[in-house]
Amino acid sequence: MRRISVSAISRFALAGALLAGGLSQPVLAQDEAGADDDQLGTIVVTAQRREENLQDVPLSISTLSDERLAAIGSGGQDVRALSARVPSLVVESSFGRTFPRFYIRGLGNTDFDFNASQPVSVVYDDVVLENPILKGFPVFDLDRVEVLRGPQGTLFGRNTPAGIVKFDSVKPGNEVTGHARLSYGRFNALTAEGAVTLPIVDDMLSARLSVLYQRQDDWIDNDNPSAPEEDALEGYEEIALRGQLKFTPTDEQELLITGQYRDLEGTARVFRANVFTRGERGLNANFDRDSVSVDGQNDQQIETYNIAARYTHDLGPVSLISVTSLWGGDATSVGDVDGGFGANFLPPDLFGPGQIPFTAETQDAVPFLTQFTQEVRLESNGDGPFDYQVGFFYFDEDLRIDSTNFSTLGDPFNAVGGPNIVVRQRQSSEAFGIFGAVTVELTDQFSVSGGLRYNDDERDYSVVRSLDSQFPAFLQNPLGTVTRSVSDDNVTWDISATYAATDDINLYARIARGYRAPSIQGRILFPPATATPLEDGVTIGDSETIQSYEAGIKATVLDGRGRINLNGFYYDLNDAQLTAVGGGVNANRLINADNVRGYGFELDTEFKPIPELLLTASLSYNNTEIQDDGLTTAACGATRVDTFPDVSLCTLLDPIVTPAAPFSAAIVNIDGNSLPQAPRWIANWTAAYSIPVGAGEVYAFTDWSYRSKINFFLYESVEFQDGGQLEGGLRIGYKTDSFDVAGFVRNITNDESAVGGIDFNNLTGFVNEPRIWGIEAGFKF
């Protein structure tokens, strides 16, 4: 890895112990527009491509301020720290910091390949980020983060049946402003962030430069008996830059040029062999957070970059807006997927921990990725009863993925070690959309909104497989080149109504239709033991459509000192694209389920009982169910020898269609199962308390998040699930208008939870982040 190289006390204790609110609203009231000492302020969102009061928007939305992001990101956390910080949102990864997977209302994609299509879209400064390596771009110097739940296919398009996570960076202004933050924590974790806005020509030209630097030492020991190494894994080093230049030649015109860059080197996800015990739930005695025993490589690097231009021209009745963006990048990630060392055919002291049927070490690389997007739209101006926008969107992506399976020394199939199978995928995607939306105020209290979008998608795909001559031919898919093409067009729409029952209470209802374009997957390395034969190892996920129904209430209470937002929803997802990962041959296979049904509710609350105390709480319930009588998939791998009576590595809870046999996984029916990574309950709460001291204030801020049980795969087993996760943080400091000094702790209870598993070889898992503590100092001007 590269290196560059006493009453106040009681009141704080009370505030730190209070169960108050998740990360769904800004941390302190003064961070909200129009806030004063006694009331909550207005939260401004851009969920409908214009600035509006959160309470007036007929959508289920949660927001996070930059200050709260700084709190949950203390100690070098990445975008996965958003998981469970707002209702119905989960973020996880089997790649670590490189490849986040987002889930909203249970809808997501467990696909681990770099061409995975996800139903949650990430939009960064009005630009959709389609590829997973782009979605992990660091979150820093942000003006707001909005989580929009439910289909967003009208205004945002590009695969949004579940919703959107929307990031908006701070833009250049006409005054010299800026900030800098430096933190140091456990594992020699260092985070430095800074930003400055510089006016160049008064009221005409200004610039903003933002920088983020993060690093952490390796801290996990490798206890492999043949090559032990202290502090071998989990280190990283990352830098991200953003430069913006805003040119305002007239009062009616504005041009914003943005350039961004990210470079990360470090450890990939650390896999841990046999940390589950067959027939038992939860992590077992093999799990030690501070050590593993592996014999393979573990390394990761990613480089991404972007140039974008946003042009706005006020034409009087309407404004013309053009957003042009080009993203590029490359990435490599290699990991010891079996999570252990050696294999069962060796003497007992030369393999472990637990049973290691065979070695598995893989590398996935993106030699190049380019994504070009262009959007042009017209938006109406003015505050009249009629508001509209129309636009055109174009998307073009070119991607190559190289996947390599390595065989380490000791594998009987390749006694000298080295690469065995190389799979090269090439994918090009092109799409365009034409859309329009309108809002009409029928009375002072009642308004209706509607939107319509035409989507057209095409994808060309090819896969080339080559094989090391020493590897047995009977373990291969057909070699050579396989090509596939898919295309589809679709109309998505939404209609909503808002009724202002009083000045402080809004009721709304929304019906929306969403769409996800067809996908192709072809990196399967062995002939799959699945219920559906694969002639050439390539699978296609047909287009999915969703019909969503939602209604809610948004209320300001207690004379402006409280806010309660509650909604209920129901959706039907037809021809649902699902990814069957793992199984006895470590397949990565696309399937379509006839239907997935989901329903639940989301609650956001915020209260300011006294000027010094801000409390928030959020809760969501999501019930998902796969509905397809005949849908089957391969379950966990089978042992080489008849170690267990039914041969399977795991204890299956689904109906078995075909029993497991040596070398062959069981086939199970998954009708009625919940979706993977879809907890029924997510809750979060925070408390922020401050008292004036001198020219500033001493403050305490605590935040907590909980998610209930999750399954890791489409099938259900005793072992491959986690019963629940509860994490908390605490931040205590002193700040003035100019500077802030604080100490922090993340995962304060040192919760140890499995967040994913690997099921084709042994009972491998990976876990959440450890307890982190440190200090931070910052200033702003």
Side-chain angles (χ1 to χ4, degrees):
M1 170 182 168
R2 186 192 61 185
R3 301 288 186 194
I4 300 179
S5 300
V6 174
S7 60
I9 296 176
S10 63
R11 294 164 77 182
F12 281 130
L14 173 63
L18 287 170
L19 300 181
L23 296 172
S24 52
Q25 309 294 345
V27 176
L28 300 175
Q30 56 262 39
D31 295 325
E32 302 170 344
D36 59 28
D37 289 342
D38 298 318
Q39 295 181 322
L40 300 173
T42 300
I43 299 176
V44 177
V45 297
T46 57
Q48 298 187 117
R49 291 277 176 81
R50 56 183 182 269
E51 291 191 347
E52 298 174 283
N53 183 346
L54 171 69
Q55 300 302 98
D56 296 335
V57 179
L59 288 170
S60 177
I61 308 171
S62 293
T63 66
L64 296 96
S65 69
D66 188 35
E67 286 76 10
R68 181 161 293 177
L69 287 170
I72 67 174
S74 298
Q77 307 275 343
D78 61 282
V79 71
R80 291 171 294 165
L82 300 180
S83 186
R85 262 58 188 199
V86 300
S88 298
L89 176 67
V90 170
V91 190
E92 57 87 25
S93 175
S94 57
F95 281 80
R97 304 172 73 87
T98 300
F99 184 149
R101 295 187 286 246
F102 294 81
Y103 306 76
I104 292 179
R105 293 179 174 173
L107 300 178
N109 189 358
T110 56
D111 193 334
F112 55 78
D113 215 340
F114 281 127
N115 65 336
S117 166
Q118 297 182 354
V120 177
S121 186
V122 172
V123 176
Y124 215 120
D125 285 336
D126 240 8
V127 176
V128 60
L129 304 184
E130 178 78 2
N131 190 273
I133 70 170
L134 301 182
K135 293 183 177 184
F137 193 82
V139 290
F140 67 106
D141 194 30
L142 295 180
D143 181 50
R144 63 169 66 91
V145 176
E146 300 171 12
V147 179
L148 285 56
R149 293 177 286 262
Q152 306 296 322
T154 298
L155 294 180
F156 294 96
R158 282 312 298 165
N159 299 334
T160 61
I164 287 174
V165 180
K166 186 171 177 289
F167 301 97
D168 291 305
S169 62
V170 178
K171 302 300 187 292
N174 294 316
E175 297 180 359
V176 177
T177 61
H179 73 269
R181 285 198 292 261
L182 179 67
S183 73
Y184 177 81
R186 190 183 183 193
F187 310 129
N188 286 325
L190 179 68
T191 299
E193 178 185 336
V196 60
T197 289
L198 296 173
I200 300 172
V201 178
D202 287 347
D203 299 323
M204 182 177 291
L205 185 64
S206 62
R208 185 172 182 88
L209 177 64
S210 311
V211 180
L212 174 70
Y213 174 79
Q214 296 178 307
R215 68 167 305 279
Q216 176 180 282
D217 282 352
D218 293 315
W219 58 272
I220 293 181
D221 297 336
N222 186 358
D223 294 336
N224 182 343
S226 63
E229 182 182 359
E230 292 186 359
D231 298 331
L233 299 166
E234 282 286 45
Y236 64 87
E237 183 178 42
E238 178 172 32
I239 187 169
L241 307 170
R242 180 184 302 118
Q244 300 177 86
L245 189 65
K246 186 172 75 171
F247 178 51
T248 311
T250 68
D251 292 340
E252 293 77 28
Q253 298 180 75
E254 178 184 288
L255 175 64
L256 179 67
I257 305 294
T258 302
Q260 299 182 100
Y261 176 78
R262 178 197 189 189
D263 181 68
L264 166 70
E265 292 189 15
T267 296
R269 178 59 98 175
V270 175
F271 303 118
R272 301 167 181 269
N274 295 305
V275 291
F276 310 114
T277 298
R278 192 177 188 277
E280 299 179 6
R281 301 179 189 274
L283 298 166
N284 61 22
N286 278 342
F287 171 69
D288 178 357
R289 190 186 283 280
D290 297 324
S291 67
V292 293
S293 297
V294 295
D295 60 1
Q297 305 173 68
N298 187 301
D299 189 53
Q300 187 172 90
Q301 73 82 29
I302 181 171
E303 187 177 23
T304 56
Y305 38 85
N306 161 247
I307 183 71
R310 176 189 172 96
Y311 174 71
T312 303
H313 194 160
D314 186 342
L315 300 173
V318 298
S319 288
L320 171 68
I321 300 169
S322 171
V323 182
T324 308
S325 175
L326 177 65
W327 277 89
D330 59 79
T332 301
S333 185
V334 57
D336 191 346
V337 184
D338 62 70
F341 64 95
N344 287 0
F345 60 85
L346 297 172
D349 58 341
L350 295 182
F351 71 86
Q355 301 295 319
I356 309 291
F358 54 91
T359 61
E361 184 180 344
T362 63
Q363 174 179 285
D364 289 300
V366 176
F368 63 83
L369 162 70
T370 60
Q371 175 193 288
F372 173 78
T373 60
Q374 173 66 59
E375 183 171 274
V376 179
R377 63 182 187 268
L378 289 173
E379 296 182 355
S380 61
N381 296 325
D383 298 322
F386 186 74
D387 182 87
Y388 65 90
Q389 53 185 297
V390 295
F392 172 82
F393 172 80
Y394 176 76
F395 172 90
D396 185 89
E397 180 192 67
D398 193 12
L399 169 69
R400 197 183 95 190
I401 308 168
D402 294 345
S403 300
T404 305
N405 253 26
F406 294 95
S407 177
T408 55
L409 282 171
D411 192 314
F413 296 146
N414 189 344
V416 299
N420 287 320
I421 304 177
V422 178
V423 178
R424 174 169 294 173
Q425 301 175 80
R426 184 71 181 266
Q427 178 174 288
S428 60
S429 304
E430 190 174 21
F432 71 88
I434 302 170
F435 60 91
V438 61
T439 297
V440 181
E441 294 182 6
L442 299 178
T443 70
D444 291 341
Q445 292 178 279
F446 185 66
S447 65
V448 295
S449 300
L452 192 68
R453 186 185 189 103
Y454 172 75
N455 307 275
D456 188 284
D457 290 88
E458 295 182 1
R459 174 164 291 175
D460 295 321
Y461 174 89
S462 67
V463 58
V464 181
R465 301 184 182 92
S466 59
L467 189 66
D468 188 293
S469 60
Q470 298 181 16
F471 204 81
F474 74 88
L475 286 178
Q476 67 183 23
N477 272 310
L479 302 184
T481 301
V482 179
T483 61
R484 288 287 186 274
S485 294
V486 293
S487 63
D488 198 8
D489 60 354
N490 193 279
V491 175
T492 56
W493 53 268
D494 66 83
I495 185 169
S496 60
T498 304
Y499 176 69
T502 70
D503 290 341
D504 295 322
I505 299 176
N506 281 338
L507 307 176
Y508 77 91
R510 181 176 188 259
I511 305 174
R513 182 175 179 84
Y515 156 82
R516 180 155 57 124
S519 303
I520 307 175
Q521 186 53 264
R523 61 88 52 80
I524 299 172
L525 301 178
F526 303 114
T530 64
T532 304
L534 303 175
E535 296 180 358
D536 52 24
V538 175
T539 56
I540 292 175
D542 294 331
S543 300
E544 68 179 20
T545 58
I546 187 172
Q547 193 73 36
S548 173
Y549 307 87
E550 179 181 317
I553 180 172
K554 298 188 176 186
T556 302
V557 298
L558 302 176
D559 294 325
R561 290 182 287 113
R563 185 163 30 238
I564 301 174
N565 294 343
L566 173 66
N567 71 274
F569 64 87
Y570 174 88
Y571 63 76
D572 270 310
L573 182 66
N574 295 313
D575 298 318
Q577 286 186 36
L578 304 177
T579 302
V581 300
V585 293
N586 197 25
N588 195 27
R589 183 171 60 100
L590 291 172
I591 58 177
N592 284 101
D594 287 345
N595 178 265
V596 170
R597 181 207 62 183
Y599 62 87
F601 71 85
E602 288 136 357
L603 171 68
D604 270 325
T605 67
E606 184 175 14
F607 294 96
K608 193 177 185 182
I610 57 176
E612 299 85 4
L613 179 64
L614 178 67
L615 310 175
T616 69
S618 299
L619 179 69
S620 64
Y621 174 78
N622 286 267
N623 186 304
T624 63
E625 182 180 336
I626 298 171
Q627 296 183 330
D628 189 328
D629 292 342
L631 191 61
T632 60
T633 188
C636 57
T639 56
R640 287 176 176 271
V641 295
D642 200 4
T643 306
F644 305 111
D646 64 3
V647 188
S648 292
L649 289 171
C650 65
T651 308
L652 297 172
L653 301 176
D654 294 322
I656 296 175
V657 177
T658 304
F663 299 100
S664 180
I667 304 300
V668 298
N669 187 296
I670 60 173
D671 178 47
N673 285 3
S674 63
L675 293 172
Q677 297 289 342
R680 290 203 173 185
W681 294 98
I682 288 178
N684 45 76
W685 53 95
T686 68
Y689 185 79
S690 62
I691 44 177
V693 175
E697 60 184 22
V698 177
Y699 67 90
F701 173 73
T702 184
D703 64 283
W704 294 81
S705 66
Y706 168 78
R707 62 121 177 98
S708 60
K709 186 187 81 170
I710 56 172
N711 288 311
F712 301 153
F713 303 108
L714 291 174
Y715 67 87
E716 295 185 358
S717 69
V718 170
E719 301 81 4
F720 289 113
Q721 59 177 258
D722 183 76
Q725 179 178 321
L726 174 66
E727 292 186 348
L730 177 64
R731 183 182 179 93
I732 298 177
Y734 177 76
K735 71 176 184 178
T736 69
D737 291 339
S738 300
F739 68 87
D740 184 353
V741 179
F744 62 84
V745 184
R746 303 304 305 168
N747 192 6
I748 193 169
T749 61
N750 201 30
D751 175 275
E752 295 178 340
S753 298
V755 296
I758 299 177
D759 67 345
F760 72 94
N761 191 357
N762 57 63
L763 294 165
T764 290
F766 42 97
V767 300
N768 63 334
E769 297 298 309
R771 180 190 291 130
I772 299 288
W773 60 80
I775 57 174
E776 180 178 289
F779 71 93
K780 59 183 179 180
F781 55 90

